[in-house]
Amino acid sequence: MMNKLYIGNLSPAVTAEDLRQLFGDRKLPLAGQVLLKSGYAFVDYPDQNWAIRAIETLSGKVELHGKIMEVDYSVSKKLRSRRIQIRNIPPHLQWEVLDGLLAQYGTVENVEQVNTDTETAVVNVTYATREEAKIAIEKLSGHQFENYSFKISYIPDEEFVGAIIGKEGLTIKNITKQTQSRVDIHRKENSGAAEKPVTIHATPEGTSEACRMILEIMQKEADETKLAEEIPLKILAHNGLVGRLIGKEGRNLKKIEHETGTKITISSLQDLSIYNPERTITVKGTVEACASAEIEIMKKLREAFENDMLAVNQQANLIPGLNLSALGIFSTGLSVLPPPAGPRGAPPAPPYHPFATHSGYFSSLYPPHQFSPFPHHHSYPEQEIVNLFIPTQAVGAIIGKKGAHIKQLARFAGASIKIAPAEGPDVSERMVIITGPPEAQFKAQGRIFGKLKEENFFNPKEEVKLEAHIRVPSSTAGRVIGKGGKTVNELQNLTSAEVIVPRDQTPDENEEVIVRIIGHFFASQTAQRKIREIVQQVKQQEQKYPQGVASQRSK
């Protein structure tokens, strides 16, 4: 989730590139887009610490084309909140003194210190009402304590979050009771962010009912805070499902729009990033219309999801009894995001609107989370060796401090995991040797792919794709290729991994050759299992017809 910053007092001559350059020069690089308007702009930071650093470093201190720029959290006057941030607090100021100071202006519900790398302290303060926050800002702005002058700003609010939770949590308890659902509001991990995801765990009917109730609460809250516009609904879905929701030439979406009286838009592929691997489906209309559209949209997404699951289960012949959620690399459920805020006193925020329900359908790894354990097929008791190639600079993250991470990974997966020595000083990739049965391979490789995504070793718009090598008996290589390359082509189409069986390899001392597999985690796993299956079949045939198999091999 993002901390949206407002950059004001800009000369008309300023370009987005100027801002990128300026932020970059001060070691505050901008990852997302710069939304430039006339005289002001918006930028996003994924992390509150960076946002604070940008405000501290730039606001009132930097001149661009003759004008001193202002930088602050982007909060519209309409959405002025109960939450404020106080910066530049003397590091030795005692909490009791600060608490006493804050209490003069109203009831303080919460004070949390933000861990930043500034020498002075930063706190986020939540007052009981907007009015109290407003008075505190007016009275405390520039408040001198010794030689320090407090700097204060509103934080983009969780207004709707408060309304959804209700006094002492009564509203949310009522929603969960009525809809037989579990509702999680992710406040902590998105501290200071403009939108908060709310995950709803329930049956499809329960989810839709909870979603409708939350929409109604938000609309009521918006009416009371004099927000003119209707509250849109946002549904986040993995890109792998969105195509089927849209349908050929947009037919499915047009049909839903027509039947529910809503306007539906889908975010562009360019907006996909490491913080948001999903596309945003924005639904505009009355609460009633949005709730009806949610039912239809989720129906289509579930259908696409179930078809994918069926395909994986039928084709992958994967591992008996493996519970994917245990891997910790998949998220679940349907979620709801309350609103972002607009810039201070400037025209309303960019077209980025309050509220979303977010189907956290998949984490950044494809496909989804709600895997039932894989159906029982053959058991493969024997150990397998897979060589997985990772970027050289990621080796430290995989090993961890004093080898802690790699040991923990090996224990978790039940596999032996070793990193081969570098073959030269400047190699871009290193080989990870994973030895263990199929389930251990799956868990170890899954965690390694997940770790590389988490640690940002791939840029935001990339899937994590790695190369894996497995060895097969040279006598079966022809069968993996198939007549005229037929089998290998089918394999590639089925799994969407690239499968390469180099033809001119000299078999090793065990009469084995390498098959190279390149793709994202599931593609790679499916290809590995299919190839092992072909090898098994050939072995069984060789046992039954020791003389006849050679003639079936492709030349």
Side-chain angles (χ1 to χ4, degrees):
M1 295 319 303
M2 291 293 163
N3 295 271
K4 192 171 283 300
L5 295 185
Y6 163 76
I7 305 171
N9 201 35
L10 294 179
S11 148
V14 170
T15 65
E17 209 29 66
D18 291 340
L19 290 173
R20 276 189 188 288
Q21 172 99 39
L22 178 95
F23 276 69
D25 289 348
R26 283 169 176 71
K27 309 235 171 345
L28 296 161
L30 296 171
Q33 64 186 124
V34 174
L35 209 95
L36 185 61
K37 304 280 183 182
S38 178
Y40 62 96
F42 302 98
V43 298
D44 285 335
Y45 276 108
D47 164 291
Q48 196 175 18
N49 213 322
W50 280 93
I52 291 169
R53 202 181 300 175
I55 295 169
E56 293 291 278
T57 312
L58 303 173
S59 195
K61 295 178 182 168
V62 173
E63 195 176 298
L64 192 57
H65 292 300
K67 294 182 92 169
I68 304 248
M69 63 161 65
E70 296 171 34
V71 181
D72 206 342
Y73 287 108
S74 155
V75 184
S76 74
K77 278 186 173 159
K78 286 178 188 166
L79 278 175
R80 288 284 156 94
S81 64
R82 304 179 302 127
R83 299 181 73 226
I84 62 176
Q85 185 171 86
I86 308 178
R87 298 183 301 281
N88 208 35
I89 300 170
H92 50 272
L93 178 64
Q94 289 175 321
W95 276 97
E96 296 76 22
V97 177
L98 184 63
D99 273 347
L101 200 58
L102 297 172
Q104 291 175 28
Y105 307 108
T107 308
V108 176
E109 286 188 354
N110 187 31
V111 180
E112 56 172 357
Q113 179 153 4
V114 185
N115 293 323
T116 68
D117 46 13
T118 55
E119 285 168 26
T120 52
V122 175
V123 298
N124 291 344
V125 182
T126 309
Y127 276 99
T129 65
R130 289 189 186 92
E131 200 45 46
E132 290 168 343
K134 182 170 175 270
I135 294 166
I137 276 202
E138 284 164 4
K139 302 283 188 199
L140 287 172
S141 255
H143 174 88
Q144 285 278 338
F145 196 93
E146 295 169 4
N147 291 330
Y148 295 87
S149 176
F150 287 176
K151 297 177 187 171
I152 304 188
S153 52
Y154 283 106
I155 301 176
D157 197 34
E158 302 175 349
E159 278 315 303
F160 293 158
V161 170
I164 293 163
I165 293 171
K167 268 213 168 102
E168 291 168 3
L170 287 177
T171 312
I172 202 160
K173 280 179 191 150
N174 181 37
I175 295 171
T176 53
K177 195 170 166 193
Q178 279 195 37
T179 62
Q180 297 287 294
S181 63
R182 192 176 102 225
V183 180
D184 298 332
I185 300 187
H186 306 278
R187 301 178 90 164
K188 282 280 181 269
E189 62 265 46
N190 300 306
S191 173
E195 293 184 317
K196 304 283 183 208
V198 177
T199 313
I200 302 170
H201 307 266
T203 60
E205 298 70 32
T207 299
S208 295
E209 188 49 36
C211 178
R212 174 196 297 270
M213 290 174 82
I214 289 170
L215 266 174
E216 283 167 353
I217 290 165
M218 291 176 60
Q219 191 60 61
K220 182 167 174 284
E221 181 75 6
D223 294 343
E224 284 172 11
T225 52
K226 309 287 184 290
L227 275 176
E229 69 264 30
E230 287 170 333
I231 303 301
L233 165 71
K234 288 182 183 176
I235 297 174
L236 291 179
H238 189 282
N239 192 37
L241 303 179
V242 168
R244 283 163 289 178
L245 165 69
I246 296 170
K248 244 194 180 133
E249 292 161 8
R251 279 180 213 141
N252 291 349
L253 263 196
K254 283 177 194 151
K255 184 168 182 274
I256 295 173
E257 283 184 322
H258 180 69
E259 286 173 359
T260 58
T262 52
K263 178 84 189 82
I264 303 173
T265 51
I266 294 182
S267 65
S268 87
L269 284 162
Q270 272 75 47
D271 295 344
L272 292 176
S273 74
I274 200 134
Y275 308 104
N276 173 28
E278 294 147 315
R279 306 272 295 276
T280 306
I281 303 155
T282 304
V283 186
K284 291 187 178 175
T286 61
V287 168
E288 201 53 46
C290 285
S292 307
E294 181 271 338
I295 293 169
E296 296 309 314
I297 288 168
M298 289 309 296
K299 209 183 276 173
K300 277 274 174 249
L301 292 174
R302 280 193 191 96
E303 208 175 277
F305 166 72
E306 278 152 14
N307 288 341
D308 284 357
M309 292 320 311
L310 207 62
V312 167
N313 280 343
Q314 281 174 348
Q315 297 159 355
N317 280 0
L318 271 162
I319 299 141
L322 173 65
N323 177 1
L324 274 196
S325 60
L327 278 178
I329 51 175
F330 304 99
S331 62
T332 50
L334 170 80
S335 322
V336 184
L337 299 164
R344 313 171 302 165
Y352 188 128
H353 276 295
F355 187 60
T357 133
H358 152 273
S359 108
Y361 238 6
F362 299 70
S363 82
S364 46
L365 290 176
Y366 190 72
H369 50 285
Q370 294 167 328
F371 279 83
S372 52
F374 288 109
H376 275 272
H377 286 289
H378 327 291
S379 56
Y380 300 90
E382 71 263 27
Q383 298 282 308
E384 298 174 351
I385 298 173
V386 178
N387 295 338
L388 194 63
F389 291 83
I390 63 168
T392 300
Q393 68 269 35
V395 168
I398 298 297
I399 293 174
K401 270 197 182 136
K402 296 186 178 162
H405 186 261
I406 201 164
K407 280 180 196 148
Q408 183 195 353
L409 179 58
R411 262 203 314 278
F412 161 80
S416 147
I417 302 170
K418 295 191 168 65
I419 295 184
E423 289 180 3
D426 303 319
V427 290
S428 63
E429 288 186 318
R430 291 281 293 278
M431 183 164 82
V432 183
I433 304 159
I434 306 166
T435 311
E439 178 164 350
Q441 290 292 348
F442 191 93
K443 288 162 113 173
Q445 291 177 50
R447 273 283 169 94
I448 290 169
F449 273 79
K451 185 75 173 163
L452 296 182
K453 185 77 171 174
E454 208 177 280
E455 300 281 345
N456 301 358
F457 285 110
F458 284 75
N459 82 35
K461 294 189 175 56
E462 280 180 293
E463 278 273 25
V464 176
K465 282 190 176 174
L466 298 178
E467 181 164 335
H469 289 183
I470 62 175
R471 290 183 176 275
V472 303
S474 58
S475 60
T476 58
R479 281 290 286 278
V480 173
I481 296 168
K483 269 208 175 96
K486 185 170 181 284
T487 310
V488 87
N489 287 342
E490 278 173 4
L491 250 179
Q492 301 199 95
N493 292 338
L494 175 73
T495 64
S496 81
E498 199 180 331
V499 179
I500 303 157
V501 189
R503 284 175 178 272
D504 309 328
Q505 282 186 72
T506 311
D508 64 10
E509 68 280 7
N510 300 321
E511 287 300 306
E512 289 182 327
V513 292
I514 289 171
V515 178
R516 297 171 58 207
I517 299 160
I518 301 159
H520 58 66
F521 174 63
F522 270 88
S524 181
Q525 283 303 312
T526 313
Q528 288 175 40
R529 297 268 66 82
K530 288 309 268 179
I531 292 166
R532 304 263 190 209
E533 203 178 286
I534 293 170
V535 171
Q536 284 294 106
Q537 285 167 356
V538 174
K539 269 191 188 155
Q540 284 163 358
Q541 284 177 337
E542 280 175 342
Q543 282 159 0
K544 277 187 188 169
Y545 315 104
Q547 302 310 310
V549 174
S551 61
Q552 294 178 16
R553 290 214 302 273
S554 79
K555 300 292 174 274

